[in-house]
C-alpha cells in the first residue's frame, strides 16, 4: 500500500494573462456611449460664463492659525450639469461618466478649492480646475 501512486483531486491550470489592449467592458454600459456624429472633436477651449456658476464661500479646514477661524476662504463652485448649455453635450456625457464623484444627488457638478489664504485666489484656482476638467 506504500507504493500506490497518489492522484491529486485537482488539476493544475496555468495562468493565462488577459489579452492586451482594451480592458473587458460591460456591454450594458456601452449602449450609452455611442455618439450620433462620429465627426465631433473635443473643443480646445470652452469659455466658462461665470454668471452661470453658483459660487459660495465657507471656512476652510486645516492649518492657518487665527486667520482660518475668521475668514471664509474655501470656495465652492457649482452648476447644474444637465442645464449647462454652454458645455457641449458630448463633454457633459464625459463629465457624467468620468467625474461622477463630483456630481451630487441633485445633479450639480461641484468643485471646491481651499489651497490659498484668499477668496480671490481660491476662486481663480477653482475656475482653473473646472477649465482643466473640461
Amino acid at each position: 500500500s506504500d507504493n500506490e501512486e497518489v492522484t491529486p483531486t485537482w488539476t493544475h491550470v496555468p495562468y493565462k494573462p488577459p489579452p492586451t489592449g482594451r480592458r473587458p467592458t460591460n456591454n450594458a454600459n456601452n449602449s450609452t456611449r455611442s455618439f450620433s456624429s462620429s465627426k465631433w472633436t473635443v473643443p480646445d477651449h470652452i469659455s466658462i460664463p461665470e454668471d452661470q456658476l453658483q459660487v459660495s464661500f465657507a471656512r476652510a479646514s486645516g492649518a492657518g492659525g487665527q486667520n482660518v477661524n475668521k475668514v471664509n476662504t474655501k470656495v465652492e463652485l457649482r452648476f447644474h450639469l444637465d442645464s449647462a448649455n454652454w458645455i457641449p453635450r458630448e463633454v457633459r456625457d464625459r463629465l457624467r461618466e468620468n467625474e461622477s464623484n463630483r456630481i451630487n444627488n441633485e445633479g450639480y457638478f461641484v468643485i471646491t478649492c481651499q489651497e490659498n489664504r484668499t477668496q480671490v485666489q481660491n476662486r481663480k484656482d477653482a475656475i482653473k480646475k473646472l477649465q482643466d476638467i473640461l
Side-chain angles (χ1 to χ4, degrees):
S1 134
D2 290 336
N3 293 342
E4 288 181 30
E5 189 174 321
V6 178
T7 58
T9 57
W10 51 271
T11 56
H12 173 70
V13 178
Y15 172 74
K16 180 182 171 196
T20 57
R22 289 175 39 114
R23 289 186 294 163
T25 57
N26 183 357
N27 288 336
N29 292 339
N30 277 354
S31 60
T32 59
R33 290 190 64 171
S34 62
F35 295 123
S36 58
S37 68
S38 59
K39 295 175 186 162
W40 188 82
T41 57
V42 177
D44 291 337
H45 182 77
I46 297 175
S47 62
I48 300 171
E50 294 192 26
D51 59 321
Q52 302 271 338
L53 303 174
Q54 296 175 9
V55 180
S56 60
F57 300 97
R59 293 208 172 130
S61 62
Q66 294 173 341
N67 192 54
V68 79
N69 299 326
K70 60 188 178 188
V71 182
N72 294 333
T73 56
K74 177 181 173 184
V75 174
E76 190 174 85
L77 256 169
R78 58 175 56 220
F79 61 90
H80 195 262
L81 190 60
D82 292 332
S83 61
N85 295 329
W86 47 275
I87 302 175
R89 183 180 53 84
E90 292 84 356
V91 176
R92 281 184 279 171
D93 291 344
R94 179 175 50 82
L95 288 176
R96 199 172 287 109
E97 190 173 307
N98 297 343
E99 302 287 336
S100 59
N101 57 328
R102 294 183 187 265
I103 302 170
N104 66 15
N105 293 338
E106 291 89 42
Y108 282 90
F109 192 87
V110 181
I111 293 179
T112 58
C113 185
Q114 60 181 15
E115 275 79 45
N116 302 296
R117 284 182 59 141
T118 63
Q119 281 184 0
V120 175
Q121 191 59 46
N122 277 335
R123 189 170 191 270
K124 284 180 186 173
D125 282 0
I127 290 175
K128 183 177 177 349
K129 246 189 220 183
L130 175 60
Q131 187 70 54
D132 291 346
I133 290 171
L134 292 178

